[in-house]
Amino acid sequence: MEENMEEGQTQKGCSECCLKCLSGIPYASLIATILLYAGVALFCGCGHEALSGTVTILQTYFDVVRSPVDALDVFTMIDIFKYVIYGVAAAFFVYGILLMVEGFFTTGAIRDLYGDFKITTCGRCVSAWFIMLTYIFMLAWLGVTAFSSLPVFMYFNIWNTCQNTTLVESSSLCFDLRQFGIVPIGEEKRLCTASENFIKMCESNELDLTFHLFVCALAGAGAAVIAMVHYLMVLSANWAYVKDACRMQKYEDIKSKEEQELHDIHSTRSKERLNAYT
């Protein structure tokens, strides 16, 4: 019987410990972090492969060659965008971890309000700093989303033309890269629907794959924007809770101080009466 009671108490203690650990998890920050990582991974991975596919399409079907000198051509810009993607992936991986840590500390501060945990002014400043930084990142991701829609629009026009080649057989449509600023004005790089390269490009898997990769990258950027908005709501709510907790903490400190002073006054008067009586 005693062994069964001890086992029951042990299981009860483990279950209480697990529930306490689960109650301390900032689920809102966890959901936002998962959404951020998914969006950034989708944007960086698909964007990188889409840029590589763009290089292949330009070189194979549009006959665009890389400049032999260190000039700022389209291929140099694509290489720069790839390096930017590497930096974005690393930066937001770290930023997601920082926001999760902040969420854990803020959740612990709120739950331990009436315990020994003391909310400092530095903690409130850190929360406000994260709110400002997340707002800036949200605006940046909005710009990235708008910028990512440009290649989607260009590839959609080409892909849609390839899907309706029977409708454009009677007319000759051409795609001029100078219209998109990909090549200089003096360099004519045009691909018409009646050309052999256009037919080969439409029959290949590179155009279809690159187009859908850009669509996925656009979806990833949109998911990152939603994650940033989610983080803003979480951080704003945590900051408001911490601010109210600080006021409550000050009130409790003042109340305990006044009670201590009243207790000291009462003790002093009791001693004086006792001395006067004796």
Side-chain angles (χ1 to χ4, degrees):
M1 288 292 293
E2 292 181 357
E3 292 180 355
N4 292 333
M5 291 178 62
E6 290 178 357
E7 290 180 358
Q9 292 177 356
T10 304
Q11 293 178 356
K12 184 179 179 181
C14 292
S15 61
E16 290 178 354
C17 182
C18 292
L19 290 175
K20 185 177 180 180
C21 292
L22 291 175
S23 63
I25 297 176
Y27 291 101
S29 297
L30 181 62
I31 294 172
T33 302
I34 293 173
L35 185 60
L36 176 64
Y37 282 169
V40 172
L42 196 62
F43 171 77
C44 293
C46 295
H48 184 275
E49 293 303 315
L51 289 173
S52 300
T54 301
V55 171
T56 304
I57 291 174
L58 291 176
Q59 290 178 340
T60 305
Y61 305 107
F62 285 90
D63 296 328
V64 181
V65 295
R66 186 182 292 269
S67 178
V69 296
D70 295 335
L72 190 62
D73 57 356
V74 62
F75 299 108
T76 305
M77 293 297 298
I78 289 176
D79 292 336
I80 293 173
F81 288 147
K82 287 183 178 180
Y83 286 117
V84 170
I85 285 176
Y86 300 149
V88 167
F92 279 92
F93 176 77
V94 176
Y95 190 66
I97 293 176
L98 291 177
L99 288 177
M100 271 299 297
V101 172
E102 195 273 343
F104 271 107
F105 276 108
T106 306
T107 303
I110 295 171
R111 294 188 183 279
D112 296 336
L113 173 61
Y114 299 101
D116 296 331
F117 190 90
K118 298 296 181 181
I119 303 170
T120 62
T121 305
C122 180
R124 285 181 292 167
C125 292
V126 170
S127 297
W129 171 256
F130 273 121
I131 292 174
M132 183 185 68
L133 200 60
T134 304
Y135 182 76
I136 295 173
F137 284 150
M138 184 198 69
L139 295 179
W141 275 109
L142 280 175
V144 170
T145 304
F147 183 77
S148 300
S149 64
L150 297 178
V152 172
F153 174 73
M154 291 187 291
Y155 272 100
F156 175 76
N157 290 332
I158 302 175
W159 180 79
N160 191 37
T161 304
C162 289
Q163 297 298 315
N164 299 278
T165 52
T166 56
L167 300 177
V168 297
E169 286 181 352
S170 58
S171 60
S172 179
L173 300 179
C174 296
F175 295 97
D176 197 339
L177 296 181
R178 292 176 296 182
Q179 297 175 342
F180 306 109
I182 297 177
V183 297
I185 299 297
E187 186 178 355
E188 183 177 355
K189 295 296 180 182
R190 182 182 299 178
L191 187 63
C192 298
T193 55
S195 63
E196 184 179 355
N197 281 343
F198 182 81
I199 297 174
K200 289 182 179 179
M201 181 179 67
C202 292
E203 292 176 352
S204 66
N205 295 325
E206 295 168 353
L207 177 65
D208 187 72
L209 179 61
T210 304
F211 168 61
H212 288 92
L213 283 174
F214 271 120
V215 172
C216 292
L218 178 62
V225 172
I226 297 174
M228 290 292 104
V229 174
H230 197 165
Y231 269 129
L232 276 177
M233 293 190 294
V234 172
L235 291 170
S236 300
N238 288 342
W239 187 80
Y241 288 145
V242 169
K243 187 177 180 180
D244 292 339
C246 289
R247 292 177 179 176
M248 183 64 69
Q249 183 176 304
K250 291 180 180 179
Y251 171 76
E252 293 293 335
D253 293 340
I254 294 173
K255 183 180 178 181
S256 61
K257 185 178 180 181
E258 290 178 351
E259 290 178 352
Q260 184 64 33
E261 290 178 353
L262 290 175
H263 178 72
D264 294 340
I265 292 172
H266 181 72
S267 298
T268 302
R269 289 181 178 178
S270 298
K271 290 180 181 179
E272 289 177 353
R273 290 176 183 177
L274 181 62
N275 293 332
Y277 178 78
T278 55

